[in-house]
Amino acid sequence: MEQISRDEIMVSLDRVLASEGFASSPNLKKFLSYIIEQKLDGNEAGLKAYSIAIDAFGRSEDFDSQIDPIVRVQAGRLRKELETYYQGVGANDPVRIDVPRGSYRPEFTYQNTSLGENSNA
């Protein structure tokens, strides 16, 4: 399987962030940018609610996800907004970004727009 390059992922990220749904949401932009940068830099182990809350959302070191659900709430919004994006203006983007439920680790796949199917890479 062909590996998706960092450049391809960053171009895709820029497209997503410039879209209407993300342009009006600084939190979603920070969240998506942070998790993608962490994955591309090999820091997947750090993709936990605590790290995201502190590094992406500026929460204090005493952040407790049981008291402050910001990461879970924003993750739900992020997944919904990505789905909307790829059902609309992003339908023909060559690379698709997803954040599977139960994880904050982004996944990247090539979209096979000619067949309407996704292929993992």
Side-chain angles (χ1 to χ4, degrees):
M1 258 185 214
E2 191 177 345
Q3 181 78 19
I4 299 174
S5 74
R6 183 184 191 101
D7 287 344
E8 290 173 301
I9 292 167
M10 295 308 290
V11 166
S12 185
L13 173 62
D14 288 343
R15 285 185 181 141
V16 170
L17 296 180
S19 71
E20 186 178 332
F22 283 83
S24 62
S25 180
N27 275 346
L28 290 184
K29 289 172 101 168
K30 284 188 271 187
F31 192 170
L32 186 59
S33 296
Y34 177 79
I35 63 174
I36 287 176
E37 288 169 16
Q38 291 299 303
K39 178 160 183 164
L40 293 178
D41 289 345
N43 298 328
E44 284 188 72
L47 289 175
K48 306 263 188 245
Y50 181 81
S51 303
I52 295 166
I54 291 171
D55 297 335
F57 298 129
R59 294 301 201 256
S60 65
E61 297 282 326
D62 64 352
F63 172 78
D64 182 345
S65 64
Q66 299 302 315
I67 297 169
D68 184 349
I70 187 168
V71 178
R72 285 190 311 274
V73 170
Q74 292 299 317
R77 289 186 61 218
L78 176 62
R79 291 179 185 108
K80 192 177 296 185
E81 199 56 53
L82 284 170
E83 188 64 32
T84 299
Y85 174 78
Y86 288 112
Q87 288 176 351
V89 297
N92 294 319
D93 283 7
V95 174
R96 180 182 176 108
I97 300 168
D98 287 301
V99 182
R101 293 182 67 82
S103 171
Y104 300 124
R105 291 175 177 83
E107 293 182 354
F108 314 106
T109 52
Y110 283 117
Q111 294 195 107
N112 186 342
T113 54
S114 62
L115 299 176
E117 296 177 321
N118 289 342
S119 63
N120 287 328

Short mmCIF file of all heavy atoms in Angstrom, two decimals, residues 5 26 30 50 101 104:
data_model
loop_
_atom_site.label_atom_id
_atom_site.label_comp_id
_atom_site.label_asym_id
_atom_site.label_seq_id
_atom_site.Cartn_x
_atom_site.Cartn_y
_atom_site.Cartn_z
N SER A 5 1.97 10.94 2.07
CA SER A 5 3.08 11.79 2.51
C SER A 5 2.59 12.87 3.47
O SER A 5 1.43 13.25 3.49
CB SER A 5 3.76 12.44 1.31
OG SER A 5 2.95 13.48 0.78
N PRO A 26 -12.49 28.27 16.11
CA PRO A 26 -11.08 28.19 16.49
C PRO A 26 -10.74 26.91 17.28
O PRO A 26 -9.64 26.36 17.12
CB PRO A 26 -10.85 29.42 17.36
CG PRO A 26 -12.02 30.31 17.13
CD PRO A 26 -13.13 29.46 16.59
N LYS A 30 -7.82 24.27 16.23
CA LYS A 30 -6.71 23.96 17.13
C LYS A 30 -6.64 22.46 17.39
O LYS A 30 -5.56 21.87 17.39
CB LYS A 30 -6.85 24.72 18.46
CG LYS A 30 -6.49 26.18 18.36
CD LYS A 30 -6.45 26.82 19.73
CE LYS A 30 -7.82 27.34 20.08
NZ LYS A 30 -7.85 28.12 21.32
N TYR A 50 -5.92 14.57 28.34
CA TYR A 50 -5.15 15.49 29.17
C TYR A 50 -4.21 16.36 28.33
O TYR A 50 -4.19 17.59 28.46
CB TYR A 50 -4.35 14.70 30.22
CG TYR A 50 -3.54 15.57 31.15
CD1 TYR A 50 -4.13 16.20 32.24
CD2 TYR A 50 -2.19 15.78 30.93
CE1 TYR A 50 -3.39 17.01 33.10
CE2 TYR A 50 -1.44 16.59 31.77
CZ TYR A 50 -2.05 17.20 32.85
OH TYR A 50 -1.32 18.01 33.68
N ARG A 101 -14.15 7.08 16.39
CA ARG A 101 -14.70 7.12 17.75
C ARG A 101 -13.86 6.27 18.67
O ARG A 101 -13.34 5.23 18.28
CB ARG A 101 -16.15 6.63 17.74
CG ARG A 101 -17.09 7.56 16.99
CD ARG A 101 -18.52 7.07 17.04
NE ARG A 101 -19.08 7.13 18.37
CZ ARG A 101 -19.59 8.22 18.94
NH1 ARG A 101 -19.59 9.35 18.27
NH2 ARG A 101 -20.10 8.18 20.15
N TYR A 104 -8.37 9.59 19.75
CA TYR A 104 -8.07 10.95 19.28
C TYR A 104 -6.95 10.90 18.24
O TYR A 104 -6.37 11.91 17.90
CB TYR A 104 -7.64 11.84 20.46
CG TYR A 104 -8.69 11.96 21.53
CD1 TYR A 104 -8.41 11.61 22.84
CD2 TYR A 104 -9.98 12.40 21.23
CE1 TYR A 104 -9.38 11.72 23.84
CE2 TYR A 104 -10.95 12.50 22.22
CZ TYR A 104 -10.64 12.16 23.51
OH TYR A 104 -11.61 12.26 24.48
#
